[in-house]
Amino acid sequence: MNKPNFLLIQVDQLHNKFLNCYGGKSESPTIDSIFNNGVGFENCTCQFPLCQPSRACLWTSLYPHETKVLSNGRNWPCKDVSTKYKTFGEVLSDNGYSTYHFGKRHDANSLRGFTCAKEEEVIIQNSDERFPFNFDTFNDRDCTIKTVNFLKNYKDNKPHCTIVDLINPHNICGWIGENKDNTTLPIIEELPQLPENFIFDDINNRSKAIKYICCSHNRQAQVSSWSPIMFRYYIKAYNHYLKTVDNEISIILKTLKERKDYENTIIIFFSDHGDNLAARGCVTKQVAMYEQTVSVPLAFSGPLIKNNKKMIKGLAANLDIIPTILDFANIKIPSYYRGKSLKKNIEQNIDIDREYVYSQWHTEWGYTVSPARMVKSLNYKYIHYLEDDYEELYDLKKDPLEKTNIAKKEEYKNTLYKMRKALHSYLKNTNDPYFSLKVNVDKKWRSHKVSYYKHKGIAAPMDTFDNKNISY
C-alpha cells in the first residue's frame, strides 16, 4: 500500500470544550464533521499555552526547555531550534515525503524541512460590523487560497504532508483591543451565558503571577473596566471568528475531497493552545495553565480512520501528534522525541495509558518573567509558580472548573506530595532546569489591590506595542 498523505489543520487559540463535540456550543459544522468522520481525543494538553513556544514543541516533539523557545519574542528573543534535533519536516523529507506549509509560522524555524509559503494577506469584508476582521483573518484567506491552489495542482508521485496553519479564532485578540474603551454594548440579540467560574472567588488563594495577570498581559489590562455584558459579547465574538475559520476549512476540505488520492489521506485537526473564554474573568491566554488555556482539540480523520465518532479517553499531549503521524507513515520515530504514538489507540479504540502530562510557562514577551510548571493526571492538576514558590492543586473530578485551590487543605496532603514528586521526577527525567530559572518582575506590576477590576492604566508591555501591527 502507498504511504498515506497527511493534511494537518492547525487553528490558533481554540479551547476544546468550546466545540460541540466536546460538549460546547459552537458554530463549527466543518470541524464537527472532522470529528464525526474520525477519532478524537477527549483530554489533550498543549505544552506551553502561547503561540511560538507551543508550535516549536509541536514540530519537534520536544519540551519548551529543550527547544529553548520560551516566549513570543520581542524583549525575550528566541533563537532558532537547534539543528542537533531532526524536526518533523526533516524526518519526513528524509523518508520520501514532499512537505509543504501554508499560513502562520511563528515557529523559531522548527518547520525546517517544509517548503513554507510566504505569509500574506487577502482583504475581505466584515461579515458582521460588530466583529471586524483584521490581519489574522486576512492571513487565513491567503492561506486558504494558496492551499486550494496547491491541492488542485499537486501531481508529484511522492506522498505529501501539507500543513494548513490557520490563525482564527485568534482575531478575538484584536477585537478586545477594538473594544478596550467600551464598558458595555447594547444587547440586540441573545448573548452566550457567562461560564460558571466567571466570578473569581478564590483569587487570594493563587500565586502573584495569577493575581496580577492584568499587569503582565495587555489584553487583560484592556478589559479591566468591562461589564459582564462585554464578556458575553467576547464569547460571541470568539464564536464568530471560529465560524469564520470553519468556513475556510470547509473550502480546503472540499478541494481535498476532489483529489484522486483523497482516499489515501489522513486529516489531523488540532490547536496550539486554548483561550480563557471569560473563566475567572480572564481573556485570551497568559501565565495561567488552567484547562481553558492548556486543553486543546485533537482529531485524526478521513477515509483511512475507521473508528468514526469515537473519543479516546486518557491523557494525550500535543507532543504526540508528530510521533503518531510518523507511525502511520511507517517511519522510525527519533528516540529523543518526547511524545508517543497514538496509532494503536486510534486503530483499536484503546484508552491512552499515561499517568501524567506536563506544561510550562516562562514569559510572553519578556517584560515580566514568572516561570511555572504544571503536572496533570486524570484526577488532579498541580501547578508550581517560581515567583513566590506558590502551589496550586485541583481535584479535576470534583472541581473541573478549577474554582478552588486545595493545596493547603489537610485532607489533600498525600495527593499534594504525590504531585510534587511527579513534578520532580519530570524535571529530573527531562533535564528541566526549572528551579534554577530567574524571575524578573518589577514590583510596580504587583502593587495594586488584588482584583483585575482594580487595574488602572497599561500593563507591562503595552507602551511598546503598535496595536495595529502586532498580533498578541
Side-chain angles (χ1 to χ4, degrees), residues 297-417:
L298 175 61
F300 282 71
S301 186
L304 294 177
I305 306 299
K306 303 303 180 185
N307 291 319
N308 292 351
K309 297 185 180 180
K310 299 290 185 181
M311 271 286 186
I312 304 296
K313 297 182 183 297
L315 298 172
N318 272 2
L319 290 174
D320 300 331
I321 295 172
I322 301 317
T324 304
I325 292 171
L326 295 180
D327 201 3
F328 270 110
N330 198 27
I331 295 172
K332 184 179 179 181
I333 301 167
S335 60
Y336 47 82
Y337 277 17
R338 295 296 186 179
K340 60 189 286 185
S341 173
L342 304 175
K343 179 172 180 283
K344 184 177 180 180
N345 305 89
I346 294 168
E347 292 180 334
Q348 300 182 26
N349 192 25
I350 299 171
D351 293 349
I352 301 168
D353 182 17
R354 176 185 267 149
E355 191 170 10
Y356 302 108
V357 289
Y358 311 92
S359 194
Q360 303 183 11
W361 181 264
H362 197 79
T363 184
E364 183 181 20
W365 299 104
Y367 299 98
T368 56
V369 180
S370 186
R373 295 293 185 266
M374 183 207 83
V375 181
K376 177 181 169 181
S377 70
L378 283 173
N379 296 323
Y380 295 97
K381 179 186 288 185
Y382 172 79
I383 309 172
H384 184 273
Y385 300 88
L386 201 59
E387 180 177 346
D388 45 6
D389 191 26
Y390 208 89
E391 296 176 303
E392 294 181 14
L393 180 68
Y394 302 96
D395 186 328
L396 297 177
K397 295 299 181 184
K398 295 181 180 179
D399 181 23
L401 297 178
E402 298 161 301
K403 289 183 176 183
T404 305
N405 176 17
I406 56 175
K408 297 176 183 177
K409 293 194 174 185
E410 180 67 19
E411 61 266 37
Y412 285 96
K413 68 177 183 180
N414 291 337
T415 300
L416 181 64
Y417 173 78

Side-chain angles (χ1 to χ4, degrees), residues 144-168:
T144 297
I145 291 170
K146 288 174 178 173
T147 302
V148 165
N149 183 62
F150 166 78
L151 291 172
K152 285 183 175 179
N153 293 288
Y154 182 76
K155 294 181 174 62
D156 198 314
N157 290 326
K158 295 168 66 176
H160 70 86
C161 179
T162 303
I163 299 172
V164 182
D165 237 326
L166 296 157
I167 302 178
N168 268 323

Side-chain angles (χ1 to χ4, degrees), residues 390-449:
Y390 208 89
E391 296 176 303
E392 294 181 14
L393 180 68
Y394 302 96
D395 186 328
L396 297 177
K397 295 299 181 184
K398 295 181 180 179
D399 181 23
L401 297 178
E402 298 161 301
K403 289 183 176 183
T404 305
N405 176 17
I406 56 175
K408 297 176 183 177
K409 293 194 174 185
E410 180 67 19
E411 61 266 37
Y412 285 96
K413 68 177 183 180
N414 291 337
T415 300
L416 181 64
Y417 173 78
K418 182 179 179 181
M419 298 301 280
R420 280 179 187 157
K421 186 176 179 181
L423 172 64
H424 285 270
S425 294
Y426 153 78
L427 297 177
K428 180 179 179 181
N429 293 337
T430 66
N431 296 310
D432 183 344
Y434 172 60
F435 283 108
S436 65
L437 299 177
K438 303 297 183 183
V439 174
N440 185 12
V441 182
D442 192 302
K443 290 182 179 180
K444 70 180 179 180
W445 303 121
R446 299 290 189 260
S447 60
H448 67 67
K449 186 176 180 179

